[in-house]
Each structure stands twice: as C-alpha cells, then as structure tokens.
C-alpha cells in the first residue's frame, strides 16, 4: 500500500484570515498600491499591450452558489472588447459533487485559447479579462493567476500582491479564486481529477509545469479581492486534508515549502 503523505508537505501553514485592525491597515495599503498603479502608468501600459493582442477564443467557467451576486457583479470585468468570450456559469443547485467534478461537467469538451476558472466570491478589477490575457501572453505563461489583495483571505503567502511589482514568475498557481490556463495547459490538465475539495491539486500542477517547462506567474498589478468569505469556510478541513493525502499519494507534487518562492519579479512589460 502506498504511504499517504504528511500533511505538512502540502499545507501552506497559514489560515489566511484577515480582519480587525490588521485588516484595516491592509485595506489602506491596498488602496495606496491601487493609486500607484494608476499614477505610475502601469495599468495604461497593460492596456496598450492588450490592444495589440490578436483576438482569442476565451472560455470563462464558474460554478456558483445561489444567488451568485458577486459573480454577477464581476461579469463586466469578464467581458472583452477584443476577444471572443464564452461564459459557462452553473449553479450548485443544478450540480452534484465537488467543485472540480462540477467544472468538468460545465466545461465538457469546449476548447479555447485561454480558460479562466473563476470562483463565485471574488471581486475583480476593471478590464480584468483583457489585461490578464495580455500579461499571460506577454510573459509566455501557461498557467497564471491574479494576486490576491493584502486584505484578502488567502492561504498562500506567495499569492498576496507585492508592492511595485507588475508580475512575478513562480512555481505555483493556486486552484482559486481565479486560475488562468493557456490552451496547451488546459489540454494537459483537463478533465480535472474528480476531487470534491481540490487541496493539493495545484501542487500537482506545479510538478507538471516543472516537468514540461511551463512558465507560471502571479499578476500583482491585477490583484483581486477575496474578502467576503474565509478559506474553506463551507466544508470540513479534515475531509479536505484526507482527500489531498489520498490524491497526492498517487502522483508527483511540489511541496508547500518549494512553491512559496518567487523566481523573478517583473516591474515592467517586456520590450
């Protein structure tokens, strides 16, 4: 029998919750960083890059809990003036099973140049889709995600935004709240394993990315807010850990310590 891995090898070691005075200070820091992005011309440079991208086929998928108010509010940021975008949103009232089983059913055999998986409890910055694809293509990323705001409930320190950073190349892209897949990565990683919680799946993706030489990155300039609900608040963490132990016992993965490192910090777009 294959031994089950030690949870310390795949857990982040942080609960990720932010609140109280600490949360207020972090929110103030987020506002300062947002102001810098505008004043420095960083967002404008991303928009210029976005305007030069060829039109792409983009699939946006989300499984939401009714009534899905935050997802509805996020929809304008998931539209595009340039790309051909298809939205596949499905209610948990119409599905059974876990997040990734439901995403498999929702996506089916659809294919696109870029796939965005979006949770139902995230607040997105304006023009998010066009800007995110522009950064993914400018830096040659196969897997990407926006950073999470400093005030977000985020379990991984590496995913929190960094000041004066446009994008960081990393060994890790998280399973949520927003994950972006280039066509070749989506083809290799879908259908998702039939996991209910998905803990550890991103560490297995990291091992696949390392093996295949994929570049991965976290966009600090497009930080999203994941502040409405804490990490794993809707299910048992014990059940999620046991599922992860079973899943990771059958495949290679990078340890939680290995994926916390930033490889390269980019402060401007490549010329």
């Amino acid at each position: 029998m294959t031994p089950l891995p030690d949870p310390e090898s795949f857990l982040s070691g942080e609960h990720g919750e932010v609140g109280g005075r600490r949360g207020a200070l972090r929110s103030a820091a987020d506002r300062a960083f947002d102001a810098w992005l505008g004043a420095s011309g960083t967002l404008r440079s991303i928009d210029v890059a976005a305007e030069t991208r060829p039109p792409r086929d983009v699939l946006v998928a989300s499984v939401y809990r009714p009534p899905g108010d935050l997802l509805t509010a996020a929809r304008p940021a998931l539209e595009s003036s340039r790309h051909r975008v298809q939205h596949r949103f499905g209610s948990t009232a119409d599905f059974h099973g876990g997040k990734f089983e439901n995403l498999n059913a929702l996506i089916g055999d659809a294919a696109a140049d870029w796939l965005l998986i979006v949770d139902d409890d995230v607040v997105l910055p304006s023009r998010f889709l066009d800007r995110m694809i522009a950064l993914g293509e400018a830096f040659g990323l196969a897997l990407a995600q926006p950073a999470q705001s400093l005030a977000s409930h985020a379990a991984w320190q590496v995913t929190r935004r960094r000041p004066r950073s446009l994008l960081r190349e990393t060994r890790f892209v998280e399973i949520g709240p927003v994950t972006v897949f280039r066509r070749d990565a989506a083809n290799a990683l879908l259908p998702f394993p039939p996991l209910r919680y998905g803990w550890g799946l991103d560490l297995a993706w990291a091992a696949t990315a390392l093996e295949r030489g994929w570049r991965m990155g976290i966009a600090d300039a497009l930080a999203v807010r994941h502040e409405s609900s804490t990490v794993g608040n809707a299910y048992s963490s014990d059940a999620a850990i046991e599922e992860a132990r079973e899943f990771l016992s059958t495949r290679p993965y990078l340890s939680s310590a290995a994926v916390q490192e930033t490889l390269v910090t980019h402060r401007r777009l490549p010329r």
Side-chain angles (χ1 to χ4, degrees):
M1 181 177 177
T2 304
L4 300 182
D6 187 332
E8 289 189 6
S9 71
F10 61 81
L11 295 179
S12 69
E14 301 180 29
H15 59 74
E17 295 180 21
V18 176
R21 184 172 182 272
R22 178 166 166 260
L25 291 172
R26 287 185 174 228
S27 293
D30 279 321
R31 291 192 293 273
F33 190 24
D34 290 339
W36 174 82
L37 287 170
S40 67
T42 300
L43 292 179
R44 176 57 187 156
S45 70
I46 301 172
D47 286 338
V48 170
E51 289 164 5
T52 66
R53 294 293 100 193
R56 306 297 190 193
D57 292 316
V58 182
L59 176 63
V60 181
S62 179
V63 177
Y64 65 90
R65 292 161 292 187
D69 293 339
L70 280 179
L71 184 61
T72 299
R75 185 155 185 160
L78 297 170
E79 302 285 359
S80 174
S81 60
R82 188 165 197 86
H83 304 297
R84 298 175 292 268
V85 182
Q86 178 184 6
H87 295 118
R88 291 198 177 184
F89 298 164
S91 168
T92 54
D94 301 322
F95 288 108
H96 301 284
K99 172 182 175 178
F100 293 96
E101 295 170 294
N102 293 340
L103 282 170
N104 285 336
L106 194 63
I107 295 169
D109 59 0
D113 298 309
W114 289 95
L115 167 66
L116 279 68
I117 303 295
V118 182
D119 285 354
D120 66 350
D121 58 353
V122 64
V123 177
L124 304 177
S126 63
R127 296 205 67 208
F128 173 75
L129 185 145
D130 283 348
R131 289 169 169 173
M132 191 72 222
I133 291 175
L135 290 182
E137 296 196 352
F139 289 100
L141 304 179
L143 280 168
Q145 72 169 93
Q148 296 194 53
S149 66
L150 297 176
S152 287
H153 303 303
W156 295 89
Q157 188 62 34
V158 71
T159 68
R160 290 198 188 276
R161 73 192 314 185
R162 305 295 167 86
R164 298 186 181 275
S165 166
L166 176 67
L167 180 141
R168 285 169 291 127
E169 292 185 47
T170 61
R171 293 191 177 94
F172 179 76
V173 163
E174 196 176 6
I175 57 173
V178 181
T179 313
V180 182
F181 304 78
R182 196 172 63 196
R183 181 187 290 268
D184 56 332
N187 288 343
L189 299 176
L190 270 69
F192 297 120
L195 300 173
R196 185 170 189 83
Y197 310 105
W199 289 20
L201 177 57
D202 34 26
L203 299 177
W205 291 346
T208 300
L210 183 63
E211 177 188 8
R212 299 190 179 212
W214 291 343
R215 296 175 78 178
M216 307 171 73
I218 298 173
D220 292 306
L222 302 180
V224 301
R225 292 165 51 198
H226 187 239
E227 303 169 13
S228 65
S229 59
T230 56
V231 178
N233 70 320
Y235 53 83
S236 163
S237 60
D238 290 340
I241 289 170
E242 286 310 305
E243 179 187 72
R245 294 185 75 198
E246 292 283 351
F247 171 68
L248 294 175
S249 70
T250 65
R251 65 203 65 219
Y253 67 96
L254 297 191
S255 71
S256 53
V259 302
Q260 294 279 20
E261 180 185 4
T262 290
L263 303 177
V264 183
T265 298
H266 296 281
R267 304 195 186 279
R268 59 182 61 85
L269 285 160
R271 294 176 183 265

